[in-house]
Amino acid sequence: MIQNGSYPSTPRAVSGKRSERMRLVLSLLHEQTSMSQSALAEALGISAATLRRDLADLDEQGLLVRTHGGARALDARSEIPVRLRNTQFREAKQLIARRAVEMIPAGPYAIALSGGTTTAEVARALSNRSGLTIVTNSLTIALECAARPKLKVIMTGGVVRQSSFEAVGSLSENTFKAINVGTAVLGTDGISVSGGVTTHDETEARTNHAMVANAQRVIVVADGSKVGQVTLAKMADLSEIDDFVTDSDADPAALQLIADAGVTVHIVDLSAVRR
């Protein structure tokens, strides 16, 4: 089943120009593997001096390798760190989050949230709810929710991944296995009939599957760019997913295949925010 919907726009968030620029540098290198400084500067429309500062910072953080006259990606399969992804498709993610929150009943109720920029928007959209218990392995989401006095937060243990700020491994998995939640909200790097729900890291995938396996209902949230994509590690089969919330930029044919697999697909309309 595919459900379309139009939802009111929210004010455009002010993004960090430098974070967005650095994200674009990594995206270009992931596509091209390596590029010269002049090609990068031209593609981004920035000065050589600005680019050199960005490349130096990204190299220091271990996100790329500087070369003589340019830079190259560490690994074409690697993911862009969450701190540099948080401005991409922001309005779409906010609308997706608001639709997902409409599907979550009033408290007392327990919700599990995986890490990711779209699930972080879900956490923000839940901030005025009361009687909810949030179970998460994401440091950023735990901090977001812990600042809200009406929400109870349970943070899993585990080893924190630098790129996603998610705690993964057996400690985190055991926490999810020990707690029954009404709804798990899962972010993803790719969702398709061929690959299921996938992410870039196999340890993260195992941790998130433990979250999925102990939830009565599973909602996947992702912007349209993730639809039809397959990344390294499977977090869940489509048969384990109840609902998928995405935006109107998603490939309609891929969405129909997901719906045909038994997932209820909810589509938020982006036309209102582009007027």
Side-chain angles (χ1 to χ4, degrees):
M1 180 190 301
I2 297 180
Q3 299 182 3
N4 292 277
S6 179
Y7 302 90
S9 174
T10 54
R12 178 181 293 275
V14 179
S15 63
K17 290 183 178 180
R18 190 158 190 253
S19 293
E20 175 65 7
R21 195 169 65 237
M22 294 168 81
R23 183 193 66 77
L24 289 172
V25 168
L26 293 178
S27 293
L28 286 168
L29 291 177
H30 283 186
E31 293 172 4
Q32 305 293 330
T33 305
S34 65
M35 293 180 70
S36 67
Q37 286 193 28
S38 59
L40 280 168
E42 182 179 356
L44 297 171
I46 59 176
S47 69
T50 297
L51 178 64
R52 282 194 296 271
R53 288 194 294 271
D54 290 347
L55 293 180
D57 282 354
L58 289 167
D59 182 49
E60 184 178 352
Q61 295 174 53
L63 300 175
L64 55 72
V65 176
R66 296 183 74 184
T67 61
H68 180 68
R72 64 176 172 84
L74 286 176
D75 184 344
R77 299 170 302 172
S78 63
E79 65 203 284
I80 296 173
V82 69
R83 64 184 179 277
L84 298 181
R85 284 186 276 131
N86 61 6
T87 61
Q88 193 178 26
F89 309 117
R90 181 69 181 273
E91 289 174 325
K93 293 173 182 180
Q94 289 173 335
L95 293 179
I96 290 167
R98 289 162 62 190
R99 178 66 186 96
V101 165
E102 290 176 359
M103 299 158 61
I104 295 173
Y109 194 74
I111 304 164
L113 292 174
S114 75
T117 53
T118 309
T119 48
E121 292 294 345
V122 173
R124 295 183 186 103
L126 288 168
S127 61
N128 292 322
R129 292 283 196 97
S130 60
L132 295 180
T133 298
I134 307 297
V135 186
T136 186
N137 64 324
S138 165
L139 271 66
T140 53
I141 289 176
L143 287 171
E144 178 77 33
C145 295
R148 312 294 181 178
K150 296 179 181 179
L151 300 177
K152 177 182 177 180
V153 181
I154 297 174
M155 176 76 201
T156 72
V159 178
V160 178
R161 294 190 65 229
Q162 183 183 23
S163 61
S164 65
F165 297 148
E166 289 181 70
V168 299
S170 59
L171 288 174
S172 188
E173 293 169 32
N174 289 337
T175 302
F176 282 127
K177 290 176 182 177
I179 296 175
N180 294 312
V181 298
T183 298
V185 182
L186 180 65
T188 184
D189 296 309
I191 179 169
S192 66
V193 167
S194 60
V197 186
T198 58
T199 189
H200 288 281
D201 183 79
E202 64 275 12
T203 307
E204 185 176 305
R206 288 195 300 271
T207 300
N208 286 337
H209 185 261
M211 181 187 80
V212 167
N214 288 275
Q216 296 173 25
R217 181 184 191 182
V218 179
I219 302 173
V220 173
V221 291
D223 66 77
S225 70
K226 310 295 175 54
V227 176
Q229 300 299 310
V230 179
T231 54
L232 177 66
K234 182 185 288 188
M235 296 185 287
D237 291 314
L238 290 186
S239 61
E240 298 175 281
I241 306 305
D242 298 291
D243 299 271
F244 174 46
V245 188
T246 189
D247 61 66
S248 51
D249 278 352
D251 176 22
L255 288 179
Q256 188 60 60
L257 291 173
I258 292 169
D260 290 344
V263 178
T264 300
V265 177
H266 309 260
I267 304 171
V268 298
D269 185 5
L270 296 182
S271 60
V273 300
R274 291 173 173 165
R275 291 172 185 163

